[in-house]
PDB file of all heavy atoms in Angstrom:
ATOM      1  N   LYS A  79     -37.940 -14.626   7.442  1.00  0.00           N
ATOM      2  CA  LYS A  79     -37.544 -14.352   6.052  1.00  0.00           C
ATOM      3  C   LYS A  79     -36.646 -13.122   6.008  1.00  0.00           C
ATOM      4  O   LYS A  79     -35.644 -13.098   5.283  1.00  0.00           O
ATOM      5  CB  LYS A  79     -38.780 -14.157   5.180  1.00  0.00           C
ATOM      6  CG  LYS A  79     -38.446 -13.927   3.728  1.00  0.00           C
ATOM      7  CD  LYS A  79     -39.678 -13.760   2.862  1.00  0.00           C
ATOM      8  CE  LYS A  79     -39.246 -13.519   1.436  1.00  0.00           C
ATOM      9  NZ  LYS A  79     -40.335 -13.196   0.561  1.00  0.00           N
ATOM     10  N   THR A  80     -36.981 -12.110   6.790  1.00  0.00           N
ATOM     11  CA  THR A  80     -36.173 -10.891   6.831  1.00  0.00           C
ATOM     12  C   THR A  80     -34.777 -11.201   7.364  1.00  0.00           C
ATOM     13  O   THR A  80     -33.777 -10.709   6.840  1.00  0.00           O
ATOM     14  CB  THR A  80     -36.849  -9.821   7.704  1.00  0.00           C
ATOM     15  OG1 THR A  80     -38.160  -9.567   7.193  1.00  0.00           O
ATOM     16  CG2 THR A  80     -36.060  -8.538   7.703  1.00  0.00           C
ATOM     17  N   GLN A  81     -34.705 -12.031   8.389  1.00  0.00           N
ATOM     18  CA  GLN A  81     -33.405 -12.400   8.946  1.00  0.00           C
ATOM     19  C   GLN A  81     -32.558 -13.156   7.920  1.00  0.00           C
ATOM     20  O   GLN A  81     -31.357 -12.965   7.836  1.00  0.00           O
ATOM     21  CB  GLN A  81     -33.590 -13.247  10.212  1.00  0.00           C
ATOM     22  CG  GLN A  81     -34.165 -12.468  11.372  1.00  0.00           C
ATOM     23  CD  GLN A  81     -34.510 -13.356  12.556  1.00  0.00           C
ATOM     24  OE1 GLN A  81     -34.477 -14.576  12.468  1.00  0.00           O
ATOM     25  NE2 GLN A  81     -34.842 -12.722  13.671  1.00  0.00           N
ATOM     26  N   GLU A  82     -33.223 -14.001   7.142  1.00  0.00           N
ATOM     27  CA  GLU A  82     -32.501 -14.729   6.088  1.00  0.00           C
ATOM     28  C   GLU A  82     -31.991 -13.758   5.023  1.00  0.00           C
ATOM     29  O   GLU A  82     -30.876 -13.916   4.526  1.00  0.00           O
ATOM     30  CB  GLU A  82     -33.408 -15.783   5.453  1.00  0.00           C
ATOM     31  CG  GLU A  82     -33.716 -16.952   6.372  1.00  0.00           C
ATOM     32  CD  GLU A  82     -34.792 -17.877   5.817  1.00  0.00           C
ATOM     33  OE1 GLU A  82     -35.303 -17.631   4.706  1.00  0.00           O
ATOM     34  OE2 GLU A  82     -35.122 -18.855   6.525  1.00  0.00           O
ATOM     35  N   GLU A  83     -32.827 -12.756   4.678  1.00  0.00           N
ATOM     36  CA  GLU A  83     -32.404 -11.755   3.691  1.00  0.00           C
ATOM     37  C   GLU A  83     -31.212 -10.957   4.210  1.00  0.00           C
ATOM     38  O   GLU A  83     -30.273 -10.673   3.464  1.00  0.00           O
ATOM     39  CB  GLU A  83     -33.559 -10.812   3.351  1.00  0.00           C
ATOM     40  CG  GLU A  83     -34.659 -11.449   2.537  1.00  0.00           C
ATOM     41  CD  GLU A  83     -35.853 -10.523   2.335  1.00  0.00           C
ATOM     42  OE1 GLU A  83     -35.834  -9.368   2.820  1.00  0.00           O
ATOM     43  OE2 GLU A  83     -36.817 -10.954   1.696  1.00  0.00           O
ATOM     44  N   VAL A  84     -31.244 -10.599   5.486  1.00  0.00           N
ATOM     45  CA  VAL A  84     -30.139  -9.859   6.096  1.00  0.00           C
ATOM     46  C   VAL A  84     -28.865 -10.701   6.040  1.00  0.00           C
ATOM     47  O   VAL A  84     -27.791 -10.214   5.665  1.00  0.00           O
ATOM     48  CB  VAL A  84     -30.464  -9.447   7.551  1.00  0.00           C
ATOM     49  CG1 VAL A  84     -29.221  -8.955   8.273  1.00  0.00           C
ATOM     50  CG2 VAL A  84     -31.542  -8.364   7.571  1.00  0.00           C
ATOM     51  N   ALA A  85     -28.979 -11.972   6.385  1.00  0.00           N
ATOM     52  CA  ALA A  85     -27.808 -12.856   6.356  1.00  0.00           C
ATOM     53  C   ALA A  85     -27.255 -12.971   4.934  1.00  0.00           C
ATOM     54  O   ALA A  85     -26.036 -12.930   4.722  1.00  0.00           O
ATOM     55  CB  ALA A  85     -28.170 -14.231   6.908  1.00  0.00           C
ATOM     56  N   ALA A  86     -28.151 -13.088   3.955  1.00  0.00           N
ATOM     57  CA  ALA A  86     -27.707 -13.189   2.556  1.00  0.00           C
ATOM     58  C   ALA A  86     -27.017 -11.895   2.117  1.00  0.00           C
ATOM     59  O   ALA A  86     -25.971 -11.942   1.445  1.00  0.00           O
ATOM     60  CB  ALA A  86     -28.900 -13.484   1.643  1.00  0.00           C
ATOM     61  N   LEU A  87     -27.588 -10.760   2.511  1.00  0.00           N
ATOM     62  CA  LEU A  87     -26.967  -9.476   2.153  1.00  0.00           C
ATOM     63  C   LEU A  87     -25.597  -9.316   2.813  1.00  0.00           C
ATOM     64  O   LEU A  87     -24.658  -8.799   2.203  1.00  0.00           O
ATOM     65  CB  LEU A  87     -27.885  -8.311   2.544  1.00  0.00           C
ATOM     66  CG  LEU A  87     -29.096  -8.081   1.644  1.00  0.00           C
ATOM     67  CD1 LEU A  87     -30.033  -7.052   2.266  1.00  0.00           C
ATOM     68  CD2 LEU A  87     -28.654  -7.622   0.265  1.00  0.00           C
ATOM     69  N   LYS A  88     -25.496  -9.778   4.051  1.00  0.00           N
ATOM     70  CA  LYS A  88     -24.204  -9.691   4.736  1.00  0.00           C
ATOM     71  C   LYS A  88     -23.158 -10.569   4.044  1.00  0.00           C
ATOM     72  O   LYS A  88     -21.991 -10.183   3.931  1.00  0.00           O
ATOM     73  CB  LYS A  88     -24.343 -10.071   6.213  1.00  0.00           C
ATOM     74  CG  LYS A  88     -25.003  -8.972   7.032  1.00  0.00           C
ATOM     75  CD  LYS A  88     -25.075  -9.327   8.502  1.00  0.00           C
ATOM     76  CE  LYS A  88     -25.693  -8.178   9.280  1.00  0.00           C
ATOM     77  NZ  LYS A  88     -25.807  -8.451  10.705  1.00  0.00           N
ATOM     78  N   ARG A  89     -23.576 -11.742   3.584  1.00  0.00           N
ATOM     79  CA  ARG A  89     -22.640 -12.608   2.854  1.00  0.00           C
ATOM     80  C   ARG A  89     -22.201 -11.926   1.554  1.00  0.00           C
ATOM     81  O   ARG A  89     -21.015 -11.943   1.200  1.00  0.00           O
ATOM     82  CB  ARG A  89     -23.273 -13.973   2.558  1.00  0.00           C
ATOM     83  CG  ARG A  89     -23.303 -14.907   3.759  1.00  0.00           C
ATOM     84  CD  ARG A  89     -23.692 -16.319   3.353  1.00  0.00           C
ATOM     85  NE  ARG A  89     -24.995 -16.399   2.695  1.00  0.00           N
ATOM     86  CZ  ARG A  89     -26.150 -16.507   3.331  1.00  0.00           C
ATOM     87  NH1 ARG A  89     -26.192 -16.570   4.653  1.00  0.00           N
ATOM     88  NH2 ARG A  89     -27.275 -16.575   2.650  1.00  0.00           N
ATOM     89  N   GLU A  90     -23.154 -11.332   0.842  1.00  0.00           N
ATOM     90  CA  GLU A  90     -22.818 -10.620  -0.392  1.00  0.00           C
ATOM     91  C   GLU A  90     -21.867  -9.447  -0.105  1.00  0.00           C
ATOM     92  O   GLU A  90     -20.913  -9.214  -0.843  1.00  0.00           O
ATOM     93  CB  GLU A  90     -24.082 -10.097  -1.073  1.00  0.00           C
ATOM     94  CG  GLU A  90     -24.941 -11.169  -1.694  1.00  0.00           C
ATOM     95  CD  GLU A  90     -26.234 -10.601  -2.270  1.00  0.00           C
ATOM     96  OE1 GLU A  90     -26.220  -9.479  -2.808  1.00  0.00           O
ATOM     97  OE2 GLU A  90     -27.268 -11.302  -2.188  1.00  0.00           O
ATOM     98  N   LYS A  91     -22.155  -8.737   0.978  1.00  0.00           N
ATOM     99  CA  LYS A  91     -21.289  -7.610   1.348  1.00  0.00           C
ATOM    100  C   LYS A  91     -19.885  -8.101   1.672  1.00  0.00           C
ATOM    101  O   LYS A  91     -18.897  -7.499   1.246  1.00  0.00           O
ATOM    102  CB  LYS A  91     -21.872  -6.864   2.545  1.00  0.00           C
ATOM    103  CG  LYS A  91     -21.004  -5.713   3.008  1.00  0.00           C
ATOM    104  CD  LYS A  91     -21.517  -5.115   4.295  1.00  0.00           C
ATOM    105  CE  LYS A  91     -20.447  -4.233   4.876  1.00  0.00           C
ATOM    106  NZ  LYS A  91     -20.682  -3.857   6.228  1.00  0.00           N
ATOM    107  N   ASP A  92     -19.771  -9.191   2.424  1.00  0.00           N
ATOM    108  CA  ASP A  92     -18.451  -9.748   2.750  1.00  0.00           C
ATOM    109  C   ASP A  92     -17.687 -10.118   1.487  1.00  0.00           C
ATOM    110  O   ASP A  92     -16.479  -9.878   1.384  1.00  0.00           O
ATOM    111  CB  ASP A  92     -18.582 -10.971   3.663  1.00  0.00           C
ATOM    112  CG  ASP A  92     -19.021 -10.604   5.075  1.00  0.00           C
ATOM    113  OD1 ASP A  92     -18.923  -9.411   5.447  1.00  0.00           O
ATOM    114  OD2 ASP A  92     -19.464 -11.505   5.811  1.00  0.00           O
ATOM    115  N   ARG A  93     -18.388 -10.690   0.533  1.00  0.00           N
ATOM    116  CA  ARG A  93     -17.756 -11.054  -0.747  1.00  0.00           C
ATOM    117  C   ARG A  93     -17.249  -9.800  -1.454  1.00  0.00           C
ATOM    118  O   ARG A  93     -16.128  -9.763  -1.970  1.00  0.00           O
ATOM    119  CB  ARG A  93     -18.758 -11.813  -1.622  1.00  0.00           C
ATOM    120  CG  ARG A  93     -18.190 -12.281  -2.958  1.00  0.00           C
ATOM    121  CD  ARG A  93     -19.258 -12.949  -3.831  1.00  0.00           C
ATOM    122  NE  ARG A  93     -20.430 -12.130  -4.053  1.00  0.00           N
ATOM    123  CZ  ARG A  93     -20.499 -11.131  -4.936  1.00  0.00           C
ATOM    124  NH1 ARG A  93     -19.455 -10.809  -5.649  1.00  0.00           N
ATOM    125  NH2 ARG A  93     -21.613 -10.441  -5.091  1.00  0.00           N
ATOM    126  N   LEU A  94     -18.060  -8.740  -1.451  1.00  0.00           N
ATOM    127  CA  LEU A  94     -17.665  -7.477  -2.088  1.00  0.00           C
ATOM    128  C   LEU A  94     -16.470  -6.835  -1.366  1.00  0.00           C
ATOM    129  O   LEU A  94     -15.574  -6.286  -2.006  1.00  0.00           O
ATOM    130  CB  LEU A  94     -18.849  -6.503  -2.119  1.00  0.00           C
ATOM    131  CG  LEU A  94     -19.992  -6.892  -3.051  1.00  0.00           C
ATOM    132  CD1 LEU A  94     -21.208  -5.995  -2.791  1.00  0.00           C
ATOM    133  CD2 LEU A  94     -19.570  -6.802  -4.507  1.00  0.00           C
ATOM    134  N   VAL A  95     -16.471  -6.915  -0.039  1.00  0.00           N
ATOM    135  CA  VAL A  95     -15.352  -6.365   0.734  1.00  0.00           C
ATOM    136  C   VAL A  95     -14.068  -7.107   0.380  1.00  0.00           C
ATOM    137  O   VAL A  95     -13.003  -6.494   0.212  1.00  0.00           O
ATOM    138  CB  VAL A  95     -15.649  -6.426   2.249  1.00  0.00           C
ATOM    139  CG1 VAL A  95     -14.401  -6.182   3.062  1.00  0.00           C
ATOM    140  CG2 VAL A  95     -16.728  -5.416   2.616  1.00  0.00           C
ATOM    141  N   GLN A  96     -14.159  -8.432   0.243  1.00  0.00           N
ATOM    142  CA  GLN A  96     -12.971  -9.210  -0.147  1.00  0.00           C
ATOM    143  C   GLN A  96     -12.487  -8.783  -1.530  1.00  0.00           C
ATOM    144  O   GLN A  96     -11.290  -8.651  -1.761  1.00  0.00           O
ATOM    145  CB  GLN A  96     -13.277 -10.710  -0.134  1.00  0.00           C
ATOM    146  CG  GLN A  96     -13.298 -11.311   1.252  1.00  0.00           C
ATOM    147  CD  GLN A  96     -11.984 -11.115   1.983  1.00  0.00           C
ATOM    148  OE1 GLN A  96     -11.907 -10.341   2.916  1.00  0.00           O
ATOM    149  NE2 GLN A  96     -10.950 -11.799   1.560  1.00  0.00           N
ATOM    150  N   GLN A  97     -13.423  -8.575  -2.452  1.00  0.00           N
ATOM    151  CA  GLN A  97     -13.042  -8.120  -3.795  1.00  0.00           C
ATOM    152  C   GLN A  97     -12.371  -6.753  -3.730  1.00  0.00           C
ATOM    153  O   GLN A  97     -11.373  -6.508  -4.411  1.00  0.00           O
ATOM    154  CB  GLN A  97     -14.262  -8.043  -4.714  1.00  0.00           C
ATOM    155  CG  GLN A  97     -14.776  -9.378  -5.171  1.00  0.00           C
ATOM    156  CD  GLN A  97     -15.994  -9.229  -6.067  1.00  0.00           C
ATOM    157  OE1 GLN A  97     -16.538  -8.154  -6.269  1.00  0.00           O
ATOM    158  NE2 GLN A  97     -16.445 -10.351  -6.611  1.00  0.00           N
TER     159      GLN A  97
END
Side-chain angles (χ1 to χ4, degrees):
K79 182 179 179 187
T80 303
Q81 291 173 351
E82 290 171 1
E83 289 174 0
V84 168
L87 285 171
K88 285 183 178 180
R89 283 191 302 274
E90 289 176 36
K91 178 187 166 194
D92 289 343
R93 182 184 55 79
L94 291 169
V95 166
Q96 283 302 109
Q97 286 179 354

